[in-house]
Amino acid sequence: MSTLAIRERTLEQGAPAQGLSLARGLAAWRAELDAPIAAFFSSCVHCGLCAQACPFYVETGDPRYTPIYKLEPLRRLWESEFTLLGRIKSWLRLNQPVTDALLAEWEELLYDSCTMCGRCSMVCPVGNDIAYMIRKMREGMVQSGHAPEGLIAASSRAIRTGSPMGLQWKTLEVQIRHVESSTGLQVPIDREGAEYLVLLSSMEVINFPEYLEAITRIFAHASISWTLSTQCFEATNAGVQIGSKDIARTLVERVVAAAEQLKVSKVISPECGHAYTAIRWEGPNLIGRSYPFKVFHIIEVLDELRASGRLRLEGKETDRLSMHDPCNLARKSGVIEQQRNLIELIAEQFVDFEEHGRYQWCCGAGGGVSSNERAEALRLQAFKRKKAQIEAVAPARMVTMCATCRTQLEEGIETYNLNIPVVGLTELIAEHLVDKEPA
Amino acid sequence: MNDAMAFLLWTKGPMLNLALGIFALGVAVRLVEILILGRAKNYAEPRAPEWIGGAKALVSRTLPDPGTFRRAPFDVLIGWLWHIGFILVLLFFVPHVELIRGVLGFAWPALPTPLVDVSTALTILGLIAALVHRLTHPVKRFLSTGEDYLIWAVVFMVVLTGYLSYHRLITPYPLALGMHILSAEIFLILVPLTRLSHLFTAFIARWYTGAHFGRKGVEA
């Protein structure tokens, strides 16, 4: 039986699952430890500046949520096994061991109070990429049986059904029919040789069906050749969130197989942040080769259409709009100007948050936190940072381009009675398309 | 007086060699320990060459982003004050410049001694402020270990003994100078053995992070 099949089985059985152990967790860490991590741990002088960059610390004031502290068990392993001095200390029994109990205590720090938003990685004076280490540390948490139930369930559903929410193609098909009847356009399915393969996220299909209609209309307007794939429509990657390379690889392989089968030259990741980083940046490394196609976030594609004059828009939104940059899209992928170029086309009054782009604040739900039911109260507390940013510019509506961020913004806004609607940028663009002249 | 002179000669002779030896060997071991781990090959198509981002981060991380400065101005200003003061005194005090000339065969012009004197005093005040901050700030206090206080003490001793020697506040003078040199030697020995290693590893860390973000088109 392959390791993946074992993993899948154990994930379904839940923790403490068979086969997962402290030894396997530590082995996973040893495999992940690289020169950057060794340089990072060697450089931290405990200045604590990463704390003021983290919404979980800022909004709770709990020093345990200091980003670098979340890595303490991994640091101990590195020190005792990967440094000469640490080896001497271990030999003299002066080292602090990594135990199962320690990992159990750290589970909350790694999964509930961290969205891997990477803001701490941008402000560390010695240059430590803390989010990079959290991502790698989660690999060992999964292998040692210390991943949260909610994420285990989502990963397991993603492997079994293709969707972290258990969404089936037949549900999507119903939505496709709706889109086709409301637009009078055809949604291309399994069209070999199309230019673009369009991927979706289950959360989008369930919560924001407007997205599919919007891209159907925009792509018809711009005469783009595109297709959906019945073989794989899900872009999200629960494996990247929980921290399991095996699961992440399997999910990426499905996307790659669908793209290769349909011979597309470009793959579009939907309005989702982590799906984009999973496919664009982690994917090729997970499968150990580069792709025969290019990967874009939908916002990059729309901005390219704008730049090449293929997006003809009319009318403007008259209310005051502000924007939330998804961490995975902006800080972790460099897509920052594109969404601003697009919103300028359709907004009369656009106002940016003071800290945006690479220094934006996380909504509080990314990195798997939204799938981790246990973290709900903390997630809404972390949202207060976003709330403060929203209140500072007092927009009439918020615009974003990630279904997880959007759901969190809606929930947070509701919880704190801000009464500000949230809209996806793609659908906002679609509302301003100039009607195509009849052929 | 003879004992003090013997002590000074010891710090300038055998102890200096020992300290330099441990420092050089230790730094070499640490560099090998880090770099030997390497990095996995990256197959994702980059937006920009890694080295541009890496090179930029080497310098750019010295300045905080505006938000960090606004939220933690004391950390930034105090950190800057004593780091700059320390480096200035280390590299531009007349006797230090002469020492460098003696070792390397060349050196650069020193700064006027009164300026170095003020800089030393400010560094001492900065270090005291940093210690008070470490003991009182909830995050710093929480994170701090014995090692953090040890390296603070060693850095402080280096600067303080230098200041006291120059102002002849400890007698006999050879004892004062010997204590200063010994402090500096302990500092050198601790560089590879403690978090003081950040004085060379921070640039490796900055390089990797700058390269990692840079290839994704993000200035870090």
Side-chain angles (χ1 to χ4, degrees), chain A residues 33-53 57-58 61 63-66 68-69 72 75 78-79 82-85 89 118-129 132 276-277 280-282 284-285 288-291 293-294 300 330-336 338 354-355 358-359 361 385, chain B residues 29-30 33-48 57-58 60-73 75-76 83 133-134 137-145 147-148 151 191-210 212-220:
Chain A
L33 268 165
D34 59 5
I37 295 183
F40 299 156
F41 283 142
S42 300
S43 301
C44 177
V45 289
H46 287 160
C47 76
L49 278 177
C50 49
Q52 60 80 40
Y57 169 73
V58 171
R64 289 172 72 248
Y65 296 147
T66 301
I68 195 71
Y69 184 69
E72 177 59 16
R75 192 201 65 77
W78 162 78
E79 188 189 11
F82 292 82
T83 70
L84 181 63
L85 193 64
K89 276 195 207 165
R119 204 171 184 286
C120 49
S121 300
M122 298 300 284
V123 311
C124 172
V126 295
N128 289 352
D129 187 349
Y132 174 89
Y276 180 65
T277 45
R280 174 71 176 84
W281 302 112
E282 271 209 47
N285 300 324
R289 64 181 168 98
S290 38
Y291 299 148
F293 50 84
K294 288 182 180 293
E300 288 180 283
R331 177 158 48 244
K332 295 175 84 173
S333 295
V335 178
I336 293 169
Q338 289 88 331
E354 190 184 351
E355 290 182 287
R358 65 194 169 119
Y359 290 119
W361 287 91
R385 196 82 275 281
Chain B
V29 167
R30 295 304 315 279
E33 269 172 12
I34 293 167
L35 299 176
I36 205 168
L37 293 173
R39 261 192 314 170
K41 181 171 164 52
N42 200 329
Y43 293 95
E45 192 192 345
R47 286 195 207 278
L58 287 183
S60 67
R61 285 295 168 117
T62 309
L63 280 174
D65 61 284
T68 296
F69 186 64
R70 208 170 44 247
R71 280 182 290 277
D75 301 64
V76 174
H83 273 89
H133 203 205
R134 192 172 277 289
H137 188 281
V139 171
K140 286 183 204 287
R141 191 188 161 98
F142 176 76
L143 290 178
S144 297
T145 60
E147 187 185 311
D148 294 305
I151 64 179
V191 164
L193 303 181
T194 63
R195 290 164 181 274
L196 279 176
S197 59
H198 79 278
L199 75 89
F200 61 96
T201 62
F203 295 98
I204 306 173
R206 286 178 179 188
W207 172 272
Y208 280 133
T209 298
H212 179 227
F213 278 95
R215 83 191 314 275
K216 301 196 288 186
V218 182
E219 202 174 305

Side-chain angles (χ1 to χ4, degrees), chain A residues 317-330:
Chain A
E317 300 293 321
T318 53
D319 54 346
R320 186 174 165 89
L321 301 179
S322 191
M323 182 186 279
H324 166 73
D325 284 309
C327 316
N328 274 298
L329 190 63

